């Protein structure tokens, strides 16, 4: 049995299937760890969502910001970008079934020494703290206030974590950290507008994983989200968004031996 961690698919189903072929993935024996952003930008979001949800326990998926945006649209959000590519899902006959599956995906998956998240963890969060906060969000996402929550997720404020935060602000900060984090200050204040490579960090900020006092260095964090960072590996970190939808590659890493697989092609890109 092998476990393959794979970066942001973003609706590029054909490339995803080519990558699985390169890995010789067998859904009967192997497992996938997907870092989120299954959908949007690429042209094959519906096929991607159907395929991954159909894998059952062979696929472990955490929510990314684009996955959450799809759920927000389904709840009634009317803010769209020209580059959004989600209508095929919203108009599909099995839309409700697919979104029910998606909304039950976690923000964090912990297994042994590995933590699977979409973007990252705030430096002051231990792994047990992050897991508890992820579960707090999931309880609301799948509960009676789910629609209210989804319609209040938009925005980047507050941009810092305090244990005393309550209500929608508390939940929004948690979600933003898990799904949008790239740069932050040494005390964990997030800078959401900065999207460039690490050497373009705004003054006084750092890549979230670079802070030496980061409380979650106890585990290896597997993430995506940051295409300008690309595939990057160091002790305690595996970053897998190599920007396929923007002309880069789609990347998988086999957990057991660290072997990397890349697919670069043309199908399903913007």
């Amino acid at each position: 049995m092998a476990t393959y961690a794979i970066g942001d698919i973003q609706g590029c189903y054909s490339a995803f299937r080519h990558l699985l072929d390169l890995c010789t993935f067998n859904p009967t024996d192997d497992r996938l760890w997907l870092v989120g952003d299954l959908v949007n930008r690429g042209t094959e979001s519906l096929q991607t969502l159907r395929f991954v949800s159909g894998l059952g326990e062979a696929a472990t998926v955490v929510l990314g910001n684009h996955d959450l945006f799809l759920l927000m649209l389904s709840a009634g959000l009317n803010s769209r970008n020209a580059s959004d590519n989600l209508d095929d899902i919203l108009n599909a006959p099995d839309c409700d079934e697919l979104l029910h599956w998606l909304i039950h995906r976690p923000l964090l998956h912990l297994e042994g020494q590995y933590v699977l998240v979409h973007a990252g963890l705030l430096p002051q969060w231990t792994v047990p703290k992050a897991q508890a906060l992820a579960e707090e969000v999931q309880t609301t996402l799948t509960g009676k206030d789910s629609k209210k929550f989804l319609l209040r997720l938009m925005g980047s404020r507050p941009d810092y974590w305090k244990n005393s935060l309550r209500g929608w602000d508390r939940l929004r900060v948690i979600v933003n950290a898990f799904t949008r984090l790239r740069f932050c200050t040494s005390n964990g204040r997030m800078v959401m507008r900065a999207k460039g490579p690490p050497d373009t960090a705004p003054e006084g900020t750092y890549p979230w994983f670079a802070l030496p006092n980061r409380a979650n260095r106890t585990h290896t964090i597997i993430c995506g989200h940051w295409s300008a960072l690309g595939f990057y590996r160091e002790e305690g970190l595996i970053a897998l968004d190599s920007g396929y939808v923007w002309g880069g590659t789609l990347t998988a890493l086999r957990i057991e031996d660290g072997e990397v697989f890349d697919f670069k092609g043309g199908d399903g890109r913007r």
Side-chain angles (χ1 to χ4, degrees):
M1 185 186 92
T3 303
Y4 298 95
I6 297 180
D8 304 35
I9 300 167
Q10 293 210 293
C12 296
Y13 173 72
S14 299
F16 177 42
R17 293 302 301 269
H18 283 304
L19 180 62
L20 294 184
D21 288 343
L22 287 175
C23 298
T24 64
F25 170 72
N26 180 345
T28 302
D29 299 320
D30 300 329
R31 297 177 60 202
L32 298 180
W33 287 357
L34 304 180
V35 301
D37 277 5
L38 299 181
V39 301
N40 213 0
R41 305 299 194 226
T43 60
E44 303 165 310
S45 289
L46 178 58
Q47 297 97 312
T48 302
L49 205 53
R50 283 174 173 165
F51 176 74
V52 174
S53 63
L55 288 172
E57 294 184 1
T60 296
V61 181
V62 292
L63 289 169
N65 53 302
H66 285 284
D67 308 316
L68 284 164
F69 185 66
L70 170 60
L71 293 170
M72 292 159 69
L73 290 178
S74 73
L77 182 75
N78 57 14
S79 176
R80 302 287 295 269
N81 297 314
S83 56
D84 291 332
N85 211 343
L86 295 166
D87 287 339
D88 57 343
I89 297 173
L90 295 170
N91 296 326
D94 52 347
C95 176
D96 289 346
E97 178 184 345
L98 293 170
L99 296 186
H100 177 80
W101 175 85
L102 186 64
I103 205 169
H104 284 83
R105 299 312 98 195
L107 285 172
L108 178 150
H109 174 72
L110 173 63
E111 189 165 330
Q113 286 301 113
Y114 293 100
V115 175
L116 185 71
V117 293
H118 180 60
L121 299 181
L122 288 176
Q124 63 267 51
W125 289 352
T126 64
V127 168
K129 175 72 170 181
Q131 185 176 31
L133 294 176
E135 291 171 357
E136 186 176 327
V137 168
Q138 190 170 23
T139 297
T140 306
L141 258 184
T142 58
K144 62 181 178 62
D145 291 326
S146 176
K147 184 174 181 178
K148 291 180 182 178
F149 176 35
L150 288 166
L151 292 175
R152 288 164 177 79
L153 262 182
M154 186 71 78
S156 301
R157 294 289 185 271
D159 58 5
Y160 59 91
W161 169 255
K162 292 195 302 184
N163 288 327
S164 59
L165 284 171
R166 295 291 181 268
W168 305 125
D169 282 352
R170 176 184 177 90
L171 296 172
R172 189 183 308 111
V173 170
I174 297 169
V175 170
N176 283 343
F178 279 118
T179 65
R180 298 177 59 199
L181 179 63
R182 294 185 184 94
F183 297 105
C184 64
T185 62
S186 57
N187 63 356
R189 185 176 292 269
M190 297 179 281
V191 179
M192 294 302 185
R193 292 187 178 275
K195 299 182 178 181
D199 60 4
T200 64
E203 184 177 358
T205 72
Y206 310 87
W208 67 268
F209 55 82
L211 292 164
N213 61 342
R214 181 162 57 85
N216 39 71
R217 287 186 177 274
T218 52
H219 291 67
T220 296
I221 298 175
I222 303 173
C223 61
H225 182 61
W226 198 347
S227 60
L229 172 65
F231 172 70
Y232 181 76
R233 177 168 44 176
E234 64 177 33
E235 185 176 357
L237 177 75
I238 301 169
L240 290 168
D241 183 4
S242 46
Y244 179 83
V245 76
W246 306 114
T249 61
L250 191 61
T251 299
L253 180 138
R254 190 161 56 208
I255 296 297
E256 288 74 16
D257 61 6
E259 184 171 354
V260 176
F261 303 81
D262 285 310
F263 176 76
K264 186 177 179 67
D267 295 339
R269 300 192 197 199
R270 288 187 59 225

